[in-house]
Amino acid sequence: MRAALLVKPGEIVVDEVADPQVGPEDVRIAVGGVGLCGSDLSVFSGRWPAPYYPWIMGHEAFGTVEAVGESVSAERVGETVVVEPNAVCFACEQCLRGRTSACLSRQSVGMNRPGALAERLVVPSRFAWSVDSGMEQRDLVCIEPLSVVQTSLRRHHEPMPDAALVVGVGPQGLLMSLALLDRGVDVSVHDINPDRVAFAARLGARAAASGDAESRFDLVVDTVGSPASTEVALARL
């Protein structure tokens, strides 16, 4: 198969590689599309070292199941699926507590197991989620990052406030803004890029006011995680 190979930090080539092997509990997916996020950029730049080179990046993937392992129902062949990129054990202490993101055995597509920027991808079958095959590709590629948003809001056990601030309105911040708007929250946004703020406004959010007194919020979501964004988030809380 063809794959986009990171041969060293900052350099990708497209070349032929062996097809991934399908284990008993696995499905093999003909990749239909892959979204790129900040994690991928960190691997590309070398800030997050790849396990080895050449390396296949990418984890926000969807596609069609084309083969299954011997322990997986053959009826799954032909399904349109979205990949849940973090495969966990479900048996360790953290998994049993429901904190699967802290699983010490976690295998992450594109981070510590080969990624999705290739014609085919193999993942454990329980981490390939069937979706409506009629959905637009632009929607399919957003399901993984949207699930991050929905999980974070599910963990917010308090009632939703009337208003909230989203710091950083890249793709993740835009999805967070849309999810909050869908819940009836009045969303303000802050970003150092005015074009991003303007785009968020077209989706229904508003630019955060500059004064401290009138722009504090009971809920602030920092989608960036940088020292500067954390400072802004805490100042507005």
Side-chain angles (χ1 to χ4, degrees):
M1 69 176 182
R2 286 158 59 83
L5 302 173
L6 181 67
V7 294
K8 65 179 181 180
E11 183 177 341
I12 287 179
V13 299
V14 177
D15 205 349
E16 293 285 335
V17 298
D19 282 351
Q21 297 298 306
V22 183
E25 302 286 344
D26 295 337
V27 295
R28 189 174 71 209
I29 300 165
V31 177
V34 185
L36 298 176
C37 80
S39 301
D40 301 305
L41 296 178
S42 294
V43 176
F44 175 73
S45 68
R47 293 195 305 273
W48 184 307
Y52 53 82
Y53 295 100
W55 179 250
I56 304 175
M57 303 190 311
H59 61 276
E60 296 178 359
F62 70 90
T64 304
V65 175
E66 64 175 20
V68 299
E70 59 188 32
S71 299
V72 181
S73 171
E75 294 181 355
R76 297 211 61 181
V77 174
E79 284 185 359
T80 300
V81 295
V82 169
V83 173
E84 181 181 355
N86 296 307
V88 300
C89 71
F90 292 111
C92 70
E93 179 182 357
Q94 293 299 331
C95 285
L96 293 175
R97 294 174 58 199
R99 298 294 183 178
T100 54
S101 60
C103 174
L104 295 179
S105 301
R106 185 176 67 176
Q107 293 288 305
S108 298
V109 174
M111 308 304 285
N112 62 1
R113 64 180 289 158
L117 285 174
E119 290 181 309
R120 298 176 185 88
L121 173 69
V122 167
V123 297
S125 61
R126 68 186 302 174
F127 296 96
W129 292 87
S130 180
V131 294
D132 183 354
S133 60
M135 291 180 65
E136 295 282 349
Q137 290 193 355
R138 64 183 182 182
D139 296 330
L140 289 171
V141 84
C142 289
I143 288 179
E144 192 276 340
L146 179 61
S147 71
V148 176
V149 166
Q150 300 289 19
T151 297
S152 66
L153 291 179
R154 187 174 69 246
R155 290 178 175 177
H156 178 71
H157 299 300
E158 302 298 325
M160 284 293 160
D162 293 333
L165 173 68
V166 176
V167 179
V169 278
Q172 197 74 74
L174 291 172
L175 290 170
M176 175 60 73
S177 298
L178 287 171
L180 288 168
L181 288 166
D182 187 58
R183 288 164 169 77
V185 178
D186 183 17
V187 178
S188 296
V189 298
H190 172 92
D191 197 289
I192 60 175
N193 185 331
D195 291 337
R196 288 184 169 186
V197 173
F199 189 81
R202 294 205 297 272
L203 297 179
R206 68 179 73 192
S210 57
D212 286 339
E214 69 274 19
S215 59
R216 293 185 182 272
F217 300 84
D218 291 328
L219 176 62
V220 178
V221 183
D222 177 8
T223 72
V224 182
S226 70
S229 67
T230 301
E231 183 176 348
V232 170
L234 292 176
R236 297 296 183 93
L237 191 61

